[in-house]
Structures are given as structure tokens and as C-alpha cells.
Amino acid sequence: MRHISMTPFGRQPVTAGLLATRALAEAPAPAATADKWALLRDLTQARKAIGVSDRDLAVLSALLSFHPGKDLADDDGLIVFPSNRSLSDRAHGMPESTLRRHIAALCRAGLILRRDSPNGKRYATRDCSGALDRAYGFDLRPLLVRSAEISDAARQARQDALRRHRLREMTVIRLRDAAKLLVWASENDLGDCADGLEAIAGMQKQLRRKLDLDSLQRLADCAARLLARIHDHLPRKTEDMSGNDSQNERHHQNSNTEPLESESCKEQNDSDLPGSDETPPMPLEIVLKATPDIRDYTSGDIRSWRDLVRVAAFVSPMLGITPDAWRQACQEMGAAAAATTLACILQRSGSIARPGGYLRHLTDKAANKAFSPGPMVMALLRADNRLAA
């Protein structure tokens, strides 16, 4: 009675994984034959799902080359028995120690089986007629048994690769549109775009990495939201910008008599500040309670962050703050935080000798994520409470 060993030669013990793989190898094959090279191509595409590396598959390719013919058939001819030297030659001179490591990986992945002889060597015996009777080596039958699974995994891998390609394309186009729209908005004094451009640069940097499907989907969604916010901030109707060089100085009709040097920090919406996702440092009411002097520089009331940013831009030249220093503060801190900081400086103007230099110092700290106007506001509130007491 013929018996095929299910245990490994030598000191290698029997494990649950080994028994599970043996059971898989004895299972009925879904098809009588399978193209071995087509299976190898599918495995190359689905290697991550199967759990093997490209080097593992290089060794599998060498093993398959010892199987005669193109198709794997469900018979006794699926055991190959190359020597280590022959296998190394077909694996382009791979060292034997490396071969053993990759063969073990193929066995763990359930793609091949060891059929060890009594002495652990690989060979075949022949019967009296000269035909192959028994073979000891590597059994390729698991490939035939799992052919449908491998094909499905490869199909899913191709679909995922196509989806990643489409998502990457879409993200690149959205980021390009967002960047060019922000540059156009900045050139036409429609808002401070530094934060938005910085966010786009960060996303473009992430795109240079090899992202998985979920990460790429999150990045695409983030780019879509950013582009939508930019569209929301753009004017619904734009005047014709296609004039010649003599028309570049456009006429602005504005009843607001406040200066326009720092309009790059103005807001486009009461709830959304300039930049990508800027969040006000604290409630506006707290800032105004701590810095009541800022109210003296506007004829109306300060009802929104946009109002505070506009008044701060108006006050900044009076404190000796240059337009460049104010723009830099808006870029590094965000418009709301810059306006809050300026209101605090105005409130303490009697004790600050050089407000412009002080603002630049705070801007440098903000660039290194080492400054927030919150403590300044709270210090003014505590001082006011002490005076009231």
C-alpha cells in the first residue's frame, strides 16, 4: 500500500500549521489543470495578500521550471526533486542558505509542500518498466488546489491598484487646482493663502510616499474638502482680468476708509478664517474683554473675527509695525491669532518699547510652534481682575 509521508525529516517538529497545509494539499482541486506560469503571474500581483515576497516567488519560479510542461495536472507528477545546486543555478546563483529561507516561506504560505524521503534527500525511484514510481521533494499540488483563490486575490489586487491609481490622479489634479486658485486669489488680494499653500505642500509630500488604499482615500477626501473651501471663498462673479499691462492697476471702489496695506489677512467669511483649517485661538468675547482698547479704533462694533482682523490691520501701522511684519505674522500665526496678538500688544503699548520688533519676535516663535496668544490674553484678564479687586 502506497504511503506519502506527512512529517518533516530531521529535527523539524510537526505543527498545527503543517497539518493544515497537508490537509489543504489533499483537498480536491477545483480544476483538473492550471497554467503554472499564469498562476505565478497571479501570485506576483497578489503576493501581499498571500503573504510572500518577490524573492520567495523567484524561488518558486525556479521550482516550477523543474516541472515538465506548461500545466499543473492533478496527478502524481506534481513533485519536483531538484538538488540544491540545480535549484541555485536556476535561481541565478542564490546561496543555499537563502534558498532554504525562501523555501520555508513558501511552505508557511501554503504554496508548496515538502515530501521528505527516509533520509531527507530529494530523488525519484523507477519501477521495473523504467517509469517514475516515487518522488521525494517539493509538492506543487497546493498551487493547483488554491488556483481559484490565487486568481481571485490577483483580480482584487488589480482592482485595488487601479483604484489607487485613480485616487492618486484625482488627488494630484485637486491639489493642482487648489494651489493655482490660491495663487490667483493672493495675486488679486482675495485673502491670505499661505496656510492653504502650506497644507497643499504637506499633502503633495504625502503623495510621494507609497500609501495604502485607505490612506490614499483619506488624502483624496482631504484634498476635496480643501478645494471645496477654496471654491466657497472665491467670488461668485469675477471681473475681467485679461487686460493689457496698462490695465493692471485696477480701480477699487470701497466705502471703507481704512488702509488696505494688510488686506492679505482679511477673512472671506465670518466663520471661516483665511488659511486651510484655521481655528480661532479662543472665543472672540474673551479676547475683546481682555483688550478693550482695540474697540477705540473702529466706528462700529467688532462682531466677528473678520472685524477684528480688519481693525488690527488698520492699527498695525500706528504701532510702528510694517506691512511686511504684519503679513508675516498672519502667515505664521494665522489671521485670527495675529489679530489677537496685536490687540494684546496695543493693550500693553505703554510697556512695550518697540511693538514692531516684539511682533517679529513672537512671529519667529510661532514659526517654531512655540507661541500662542492665549497666555497673553489670560494675563491681561488676570491683571484686569486684580485691578477691579
Side-chain angles (χ1 to χ4, degrees), residues 37-158:
W37 301 120
L39 273 175
L40 184 63
R41 288 192 295 271
D42 285 345
L43 276 171
T44 301
Q45 294 177 327
R47 61 185 182 275
K48 289 185 178 180
I50 301 297
V52 290
S53 69
D54 52 349
R55 298 293 300 278
D56 298 336
L57 295 182
V59 174
L60 180 60
S61 176
L63 284 173
L64 287 173
S65 69
F66 288 97
H67 176 268
K70 179 183 177 183
D71 294 330
L72 300 178
D74 195 10
D75 54 26
D76 291 335
L78 291 178
I79 298 177
V80 295
F81 42 91
S83 66
N84 285 341
R85 177 175 296 179
S86 298
L87 187 56
S88 176
D89 288 342
R90 296 208 185 177
H92 309 289
M94 185 178 290
E96 289 187 14
S97 58
T98 308
L99 276 174
R100 287 194 292 271
R101 187 168 65 251
H102 292 302
I103 287 171
L106 291 171
C107 291
R108 286 195 303 271
L111 297 178
I112 62 172
L113 273 177
R114 292 179 182 272
R115 298 293 191 185
D116 288 345
S117 66
N119 62 4
K121 295 189 179 296
R122 299 175 213 129
Y123 60 87
T125 60
R126 297 181 182 273
D127 59 17
C128 296
S129 64
L132 286 177
D133 180 31
R134 293 173 185 265
Y136 299 99
F138 300 111
D139 193 345
L140 303 176
R141 192 171 186 275
L143 286 173
L144 180 61
V145 173
R146 299 182 64 184
S147 58
E149 175 194 346
I150 293 169
S151 178
D152 290 342
R155 187 180 305 108
Q156 184 63 49
R158 286 191 292 268

Side-chain angles (χ1 to χ4, degrees), residues 231-274:
H231 279 300
D232 289 342
H233 292 168
L234 292 177
R236 298 302 179 188
K237 294 182 180 180
T238 58
E239 57 182 299
D240 183 12
M241 299 292 190
S242 60
N244 56 33
D245 291 343
S246 64
Q247 295 174 320
N248 285 344
E249 294 294 328
R250 303 187 310 279
H251 171 68
H252 293 270
Q253 184 174 358
N254 192 335
S255 59
N256 188 354
T257 60
E258 299 171 0
L260 303 176
E261 294 95 331
S262 303
E263 281 199 358
S264 61
C265 288
K266 68 182 180 181
E267 296 179 348
Q268 304 301 315
N269 185 285
D270 286 349
S271 57
D272 294 321
L273 297 169

Side-chain angles (χ1 to χ4, degrees), residues 10 15 28 38 68 88 142 167-168 180 184 218-219 235 250 267 281 293 314 335 351:
T15 63
S88 176
L167 281 173
R168 187 174 291 273
K180 292 194 173 185
W184 177 86
R218 287 193 294 270
L219 188 62
R250 303 187 310 279
E267 296 179 348
D293 289 357
F314 173 66
S351 60

